[in-house]
Structures are given as C-alpha cells and as structure tokens.
Amino acid sequence: MNPTLPASEIQDLIHQHTGELSSLQRTERGFSSDLTALVEGEKGGFFVKAVRNRPGGRRDSLTRERQINPFVRPLAPSLRWTAEDDDWVVLGFERVTGRLSDFKPGSPDLPAIAGLLDRIGTLDLPQVARDWPETRWDRFAADAAEAELFRGDSLLHTDINPSNLIVAEQELWAVDWAWPTRGAGFIDPCLFVLQLVAAGHSVRAAESWASNCTAWVKADPRAIDAFAAATLRMYRLFAERKPGTPWLEAMVETAEAWVNYRRVPVQ
C-alpha cells in the first residue's frame, strides 16, 4: 500500500456505488493493494481495495479476488460492487466490524480459527480456480516428485495470518483472498502451523491445532515434510536477498524449528 497516495483519487469513481461520502478512512492493512479504506456514504459502509489499472501482479490479484468471492461468501465478506476506469480498479466489500485474530498461545480465538480453516478446506473448487494451480513452492522442492506432492484440487487461501482472519462479534471472517489457488488441501493448515510457531507455540502444539483440519489429518506425512523443507529453502533465499530484514529472519527460524521437529534433512 502506498502511504502517500490520497484516497480522494477514487472518490469520483466510486460515487455511483457509495453516494456522497461522509467519511473515508485509510487502513493499515492491504499490502498487496495501492489503497485500502473504510468508507461511509449515502448507500452504506464499505471496505474498499484499489490498485492502479496497470497490467501485472496487483491488478491480477484483484481480478482473482473478484472472481473467487461468490464461491467463498459463506466465509468471507461479500463483494458488493466493482468500479474501473483508465486509472483505477476498485472492489467494494461488505463492511464488517471486528479485530485481528490472535494466534498466540492461550488465545481464545484458536478453536474458531482451526474450525474456519477446516471449513475453507471443504469448499468446492470452482471452475474458475482450475486454471490457478499452486506452483510457488515448486522451485524450492528437492525435485519434481516432491513438487508433485503439492498438487491437488482443493481451493487454497494461501495467506493465512492473523490480519487475514477477522474476529467479529459472532463470526470469524477470512479476508484478503488476493491469491487463491488450486493445490493440495494440507497447504493452508501448513501455513497455519508456521504462523502459530511464529506467534510463540511449540511446533508440537502448532501441529496439534492443525490436526483439527481434515486436510491435515488426511495428508501423507511425506508431503508435509516436503512442504516444510521447501518453505525453509524459500525463506532462506528471501532472507539472503534482503539481509537484515527482521520478519524474514524470524520466518527462517520458524521454518527451521519446524523441519527440525519433523526431522527433515534440508540441504
């Protein structure tokens, strides 16, 4: 998100959907967007995500989020409208009030988080997602046979972290479906394990929470081992490219703890 970008740039574009605005408040979330904001207007309140209308990753991610929304609505806020001109692409979502989920040990959110991830794992794979195979970990697998273990026909969120699971009064929402893919169902629970360890859980405890997900229970342990190893290789490379980046160094330590617990040799 570009912190210097004036949110007023999108006001004329979204006016037909919001009516006259009474407030427009930028949010800190939304690193994959040029602008995210909570807006209140004559036609109600919305959460908006906007990117510059240029070919490439950010526009593509908003396109995917628009396309997948009808199929994840039981678990995610509804997309109410879209707007586009030569400069901007904007999505307007149902506005939900809540807080970021808490992944720390002892958090009362953990049972609901595990339950939500299991529900994501039961969603049908829509036709549109069949052309979105998950390949981001392939180049970090030991070989093509290991990469093949990441294949599957499950719909994946792929960005499981506290800021993307919002706790409302009577609901837990999975937001920011910016890069959904088709792959092995255990991948989202694996990402949950990583985030739990990063939040202070032992690996044993983190995997115990993941065991509430059917896809984790049904997974071949060799596939989870391969994914853990690929994840460590991935974060090591990213950390080498950006030395001194605290969050990358922390993720390397997290992934190392995971592969050590599973006794997976990683070269």
Side-chain angles (χ1 to χ4, degrees), residues 3-205:
T4 65
L5 194 65
S8 59
E9 285 198 25
I10 66 168
Q11 284 187 237
D12 289 343
L13 176 60
I14 68 176
H15 183 272
Q16 62 177 315
H17 303 290
T18 64
E20 200 67 30
L21 293 183
S22 55
S23 68
L24 193 156
Q25 179 183 358
R26 297 192 60 153
T27 67
E28 294 181 0
R29 293 180 55 251
F31 297 106
S32 63
S33 301
D34 290 308
L35 185 148
T36 59
L38 298 172
V39 303
E40 193 72 35
E42 293 175 315
K43 299 182 180 181
F46 304 95
F47 172 70
V48 301
K49 298 180 70 172
V51 298
R52 292 289 190 184
N53 195 356
R54 299 167 181 159
R58 290 192 173 190
R59 190 187 192 285
D60 291 348
S61 73
L62 225 61
T63 299
R64 283 202 185 194
E65 191 161 8
R66 173 181 59 80
Q67 292 176 316
I68 204 62
N69 185 260
F71 306 101
V72 298
R73 279 184 182 173
L75 311 178
S78 297
L79 178 63
R80 298 302 194 192
W81 47 262
T82 65
E84 181 174 347
D85 62 14
D86 291 342
D87 297 318
W88 288 100
V89 179
V90 186
L91 303 183
F93 292 91
E94 167 191 9
R95 181 171 175 173
V96 296
T97 301
R99 60 171 174 81
L100 305 185
S101 57
D102 183 357
F103 278 36
K104 294 184 179 66
S107 165
D109 297 343
L110 294 174
I113 294 169
L116 178 61
L117 292 181
D118 191 44
R119 292 170 67 194
I120 291 174
T122 67
L123 292 173
D124 292 333
L125 181 74
Q127 187 62 39
V128 66
R130 292 192 174 277
D131 294 330
W132 302 340
E134 180 53 70
T135 60
R136 282 169 289 184
W137 282 268
D138 286 11
R139 66 190 177 109
F140 301 105
D143 51 39
E146 280 200 358
E148 194 64 25
L149 297 173
F150 308 154
R151 302 290 178 265
D153 285 326
S154 293
L155 177 64
L156 304 175
H157 182 286
T158 75
D159 195 9
I160 305 301
N161 67 71
S163 67
N164 285 339
L165 301 178
I166 304 298
V167 180
E169 186 173 345
Q170 296 182 330
E171 186 62 270
L172 182 66
W173 299 95
V175 301
D176 202 9
W177 288 79
W179 209 254
T181 56
R182 172 177 60 85
F186 66 81
I187 290 178
D188 276 349
C190 280
L191 300 178
F192 183 37
V193 168
L194 282 165
Q195 289 293 320
L196 289 173
V197 175
H201 293 257
S202 68
V203 177
R204 181 184 181 89

